[in-house]
Amino acid sequence: VYAHRSDDPNTRGHVLKILPARGGQARTLGTYLGSRPIWAEDGFIYLLSGTLARGPEAGYDRGYSVRRVPVAGGEAELVSNWPGVWSVDLSGDAGTFLYRVPPRGASTEYEVASGWGQRWARLRLPEKMGFGQGGQCFQRDVLECLARTRDVAAPLKVVPINGGPTLQLTEGHMNTRPLGWTADGREVVFSTKLDGTLVVMSAPVTGGAMEELSRIPVRELAYGPFVLGGRYMLFGRNDEPDGPVVLSLLDLQTGSEREVSRTPWTDYTFYNKSRTLDGRFLYAERKEGRFEFMALDPEGDPELLRAFPDTAFPPILGVQGDRIAYWTREEGESSTLHLARAGEEE
């Protein structure tokens, strides 16, 4: 399921469409006020819709509502209404709703609620902190988020999303960046810079001794690092300023390292935010006049998902199992959504 803006500039909302998993013509459900569709297990498609308050008594003009649409199409049903909130996020099952509460600006208070409108808990983050973008929430069975600050010294902190005290894992003078969770969810893997070296470490979420996993000189780092399951790390190293970028896979548990490619396309993550999925790393190579989008099982060999000529703008891929969805640009402002399977030419 996906949503796109209507071609009619006078029409508000997004056109909601369903594309068959086995290919074929996309089916239009209708035009709705909302985007970021979520197809939940109850068979409905949920949308987050921006709203405007109808009167000054609401206190704030803008807010959000959660709506749902039957898979067969039809009228959107209002599930819950949230006037005045912002910085919203809805879990993949549409059951948990996280949002920032008024007032705007210096406020760091969030609330957690059900998608159906029941408030569960309120939490306050330390000053200048916020929840990270790009999948830092709602990724595990235990609902937790990684919070970070943009200060020069950025200590790593864990905030239980169901309420409770914030736990600082690293010292205040460390400039840290969370990379992910270990497979059991008990530790956070993060990177920090010390004396010109990028150090990858793990820290128990309950506090305690941290463990150093890897060190890479910052001047040699050309890509990544990206961590999968808290054990494997994919990164690109450039030993010489004008030399090739060597893409390598490091087993953080055993310390073993193997070369993956000498022709990685290092701009891949600028255009495509999907870096890991289904226990695999996603990356791209640029060689012999084409882009090759690859999936790498840490315990196997790289698999070619799809190749495109490098004369075209690289498409944005979505990958689920062996199915690949990607956009191609047509003349003008139109685009086409394609669905294929790994290795297929059509």
Side-chain angles (χ1 to χ4, degrees):
V1 60
Y2 66 98
H4 69 84
R5 292 190 180 275
S6 172
D7 295 331
D8 184 356
N10 298 318
T11 300
R12 295 180 59 206
H14 289 74
V15 179
L16 196 63
K17 294 190 174 185
I18 292 179
L19 187 67
R22 299 182 180 275
Q25 189 70 27
R27 177 166 60 91
T28 301
L29 300 184
T31 302
Y32 303 94
L33 296 177
S35 59
R36 296 163 59 182
I38 294 174
W39 196 335
E41 293 182 355
D42 62 5
F44 286 90
I45 297 171
Y46 289 80
L47 301 169
L48 280 174
S49 176
T51 61
L52 291 174
R54 296 184 179 274
E57 68 277 0
Y60 289 88
D61 291 334
R62 296 190 178 276
Y64 281 85
S65 63
V66 179
R67 301 173 184 270
R68 70 177 189 178
V69 179
V71 174
E75 295 292 328
E77 175 190 357
L78 178 64
V79 176
S80 57
N81 194 37
W82 305 90
V85 306
W86 53 301
S87 293
V88 300
D89 201 356
L90 188 64
S91 63
D93 60 0
T96 305
F97 186 49
L98 173 72
Y99 53 89
R100 200 166 178 176
V101 298
R104 289 177 177 266
S107 169
T108 56
E109 288 193 352
Y110 290 79
E111 285 187 349
V112 185
S114 73
W116 296 93
Q118 181 181 6
R119 288 175 168 83
W120 288 336
R122 175 174 288 204
L123 57 94
R124 181 191 295 271
L125 296 183
E127 186 178 359
K128 297 182 180 180
M129 291 197 73
F131 289 121
Q133 301 295 317
Q136 299 296 325
C137 292
F138 303 135
Q139 295 297 305
R140 301 164 54 242
D141 292 337
V142 178
L143 294 178
E144 293 179 343
C145 291
L146 290 176
R148 59 181 300 192
T149 178
R150 294 185 181 274
D151 289 347
V152 173
L156 185 67
K157 301 182 180 183
V158 173
V159 181
I161 200 169
N162 57 352
T166 299
L167 180 62
Q168 181 170 317
L169 302 184
T170 61
E171 298 297 328
H173 64 272
M174 298 179 69
N175 187 6
T176 58
R177 182 170 72 93
L179 299 176
W181 305 89
T182 56
D184 58 11
R186 296 180 178 178
E187 297 181 79
V188 177
V189 179
F190 65 95
S191 65
T192 187
K193 294 179 181 179
L194 298 173
D195 300 325
T197 300
L198 184 81
V199 183
V200 179
M201 308 184 71
S202 64
V205 295
T206 55
M210 296 180 290
E211 179 183 359
E212 180 180 315
L213 303 176
S214 177
R215 282 178 174 258
I216 306 171
V218 174
R219 66 179 183 277
E220 298 179 5
L221 187 65
Y223 182 82
F226 307 111
V227 172
L228 181 66
R231 175 172 178 178
Y232 297 99
M233 184 174 77
L234 187 71
F235 67 98
R237 175 185 281 137
N238 191 341
D239 295 331
E240 301 177 3
D242 297 326
V245 175
V246 179
L247 191 65
S248 299
L249 180 69
L250 175 66
D251 187 330
L252 297 172
Q253 183 173 321
T254 65
S256 62
E257 181 179 328
R258 66 182 174 103
E259 182 178 311
V260 176
S261 170
R262 285 182 173 264
T263 55
W265 180 44
T266 53
D267 284 339
Y268 167 74
T269 52
F270 179 79
Y271 294 106
N272 194 322
K273 302 303 181 183
S274 298
R275 297 154 187 167
T276 61
L277 183 71
D278 297 337
R280 298 176 294 172
F281 285 103
L282 302 179
Y283 69 97
E285 299 190 43
R286 187 174 188 178
K287 61 181 182 181
E288 300 175 356
R290 66 180 191 169
F291 294 105
E292 295 184 353
F293 290 85
M294 312 292 293
L296 173 63
D297 184 328
E299 298 182 357
D301 296 323
E303 176 189 6
L304 175 64
L305 298 176
R306 194 78 175 176
F308 303 88
D310 65 2
T311 55
F313 186 85
I316 305 301
L317 293 186
V319 182
Q320 181 66 44
D322 65 344
R323 292 179 295 168
I324 307 161
Y326 62 94
W327 294 97
T328 57
R329 291 185 177 180
E330 311 295 340
E331 293 185 3
E333 297 183 356
S334 63
S335 300
T336 303
L337 179 64
H338 304 265
L339 187 67
R341 293 191 179 273
E344 291 181 347
E345 295 297 328
E346 300 293 338

